[in-house]
Amino acid sequence: MNEKRKINNDVYIGILLTAVSVFFFIEVTKIHPEAALFPKVMLGTFIILAVLLTLMGVRKTLRPELTLKSDLLLKFSVIRTPLIVFVIVAGYMVLLKVLGFFTATAIFVPAFMIFYGIKSIRTLLITDIALNVFVYVLFVRLLKVALP
Amino acid sequence: MIISELIANLVNIETFIGILVGVVGGMVIGALPGLGATMGIALLIPITFGMHPTAALIMLSSLYTAAIYGGSITAILIHTPGTPASAATAMDGYALTKQGKGLEAIGISTFASMTGGTLSAVALFFIAPPLARISLMFNAPEYFLIAIFGLTIIGTLAGDNMLKGLIAGVAGLCISFVGFDITVGVPRFTYKIAELESGIQLVPALIGLFSLSQVMIQAESIEAIRRGGKADIPKQLQGRVLPPFQEIVREIPNLLRSSVIGIIVGILPGAGGDIGGWLGYNEAKRWSKNRQEFGKGSREAVYASEAANNAVTGGSIIPLITLGIPGSSAAAVLLGGLMIQGLTPGHTMFTEKAGITYAIILGFLFANILMGLLGFLVAKRVAKVANVPTGILAPVIVVLSVVGAYAINLSYFDACVMVVFGLAGYFMRKTGFATAPIVLAIILGSMAEQGYKRAILMAKDMNIYAYYFSRPICVVLILLIILSLFAPLGLKALEKKMHKTHSQANKDSDD
């Protein structure tokens, strides 16, 4: 009978956005008044919209039939792998700074492919070499981009 | 003078390579389920830095139209629309494939896409210049309202949540404030980080929002990817790829009607190729003598939906180059490409920059024709790209995203901005926020701010609201803003109606 009511994600998102927008609204008061004029208007609008989102979230919590498909997409079981992907990409960015573009890419590409389940050494090597050569020819030779 | 400049801009090897890369790249990206025109344009923008504006923009617009067409190849062969614009095509196109007429369906789709795209380029050529003249009457208050109008339009692309679309737009505006205020010369939200003083750069932001976030979305189904699930492309494709001449003649009214529908839908704010495709399909069914065939492999249906969805591309470029308002999210990213080349939408596009603009329009027209010709030759092979494992595509997209974000200013910081926006874009998509409004707001932010400030100065002692209402164009723009705020309700009703028709057609075919 006493089924626990699940709070709609919009409530958390709304509260988070309200907090962020209020923080920046306070920050903007420290800026030169003329430069702060437009940001103040927009951050004020942001606060109103964020509060509205929170209220809509509360409404959806009370009346679950109003819940939209897009309100149900965020689940840890679903976002776990994408977060790992993000961590790998972030690691690639660190490697890029330390080892330079081509060395870091030569390590990242096969590692990322193995993570996606590709095991063929031939595929790993061909993709890695082809991608590095492509970037070198297009960006370094043709577009004269000095990669790190 | 303009004609000689136009010819010089159009007839050169760089432009030709641009068209070819755009068309082939677009067909491939469109055929890959999950990747679409918007992401393709975002990935390609960094490559355009060193290019002539004409070649660059022809390449991007070619990719746009070719990606919409490419999406129909997988829709027809494996019932997986490469882009949402091909959803209507999937129904009858796949039914034709099941009847062993896959190649014929691809031929119909190729011819219809080529016709729709080419007619939309003709419309672009004739409608855009007079529309651009309207922008001559604009001043600061109008530019402010145009910026706001642009934001509300993208709000209509916010999926099922208008409020979240507006929040994304306002967030984008706030992001555009980061950096030095050009009127007063003080830093805003830079927190003593030197790289932030020139603001958040558009290209890294849009690559992150559209490309990296897509890689993260695809990673959700990693278990299926690891199992190496492949698209089941029919090995034996029978029939002739070129539609019979008599059939083409018979379908002319259908093709023209669907193309006009697509062009109008493209010009209208917020409605993209998917709605264009469905509307074309629906009208063809209404006018058809063989309605009962719709949903069961109707050739008329494929002609209609494909002509309409490709006609949307040229249509959505019309408000883009004349007023700076994109008609779709792909056009919003295209606007970024336009700005990066130092081109400002409006009347100057058809006066000072006429040699470039008309060359872009003609290049877009040629691209549509080339897309058709290439489609007849290689469409069957293009379908095979659907078999490229995500495990290969993902690292390629990540590396190109990083290089692209870095290349604009040779800045490692920009590459990091791309990664941060990738994460933000992923979470936005997982929580129902559209990513297109952020990009458009970053572009329109400074235009809105400058317009707002100058409008206050222009109003002098007059109340700012009274000042706005004293200007007729402002009143029209305010009405358009209100209209576009309520447009999603109409579009939603239209979409529901289309889906109802779709389900009914499916039900009928099952029966």
Side-chain angles (χ1 to χ4, degrees), chain B residues 33-64:
Chain B
L35 308 185
T38 314
M39 189 201 144
I41 298 169
L43 262 187
L44 215 59
I45 283 179
I47 298 170
T48 64
F49 294 152
M51 292 172 73
H52 187 274
T54 311
L57 286 152
I58 289 178
M59 183 165 82
L60 297 179
S61 54
S62 307
L63 185 134
Y64 181 18

Side-chain angles (χ1 to χ4, degrees), chain B residues 268-287:
Chain B
L268 286 178
D274 45 350
I275 293 177
W278 281 116
L279 268 179
Y281 180 94
N282 210 41
E283 284 309 301
K285 189 176 178 183
R286 234 161 48 89
W287 287 77

Side-chain angles (χ1 to χ4, degrees), chain A residues 85-121:
Chain A
V85 164
F86 176 76
V87 170
I88 297 172
V89 174
Y92 171 49
M93 294 304 295
V94 174
L95 278 182
L96 208 76
K97 188 82 176 161
V98 179
L99 302 173
F101 177 79
F102 290 104
T103 317
T105 305
I107 297 168
F108 163 75
V109 172
F112 206 47
M113 288 171 74
I114 291 166
F115 175 73
Y116 272 85
I118 292 184
K119 290 169 191 143
S120 158
I121 302 284

Side-chain angles (χ1 to χ4, degrees), chain A residues 10 27 35 70 93 115 146, chain B residues 160 164 188 191 226 406 412:
Chain A
D10 283 357
E27 285 287 290
S70 59
M93 294 304 295
F115 175 73
Chain B
D160 57 3
K164 287 182 178 175
R188 297 186 297 195
Y191 299 99
R226 283 176 181 155
Y406 175 86
Y412 177 75

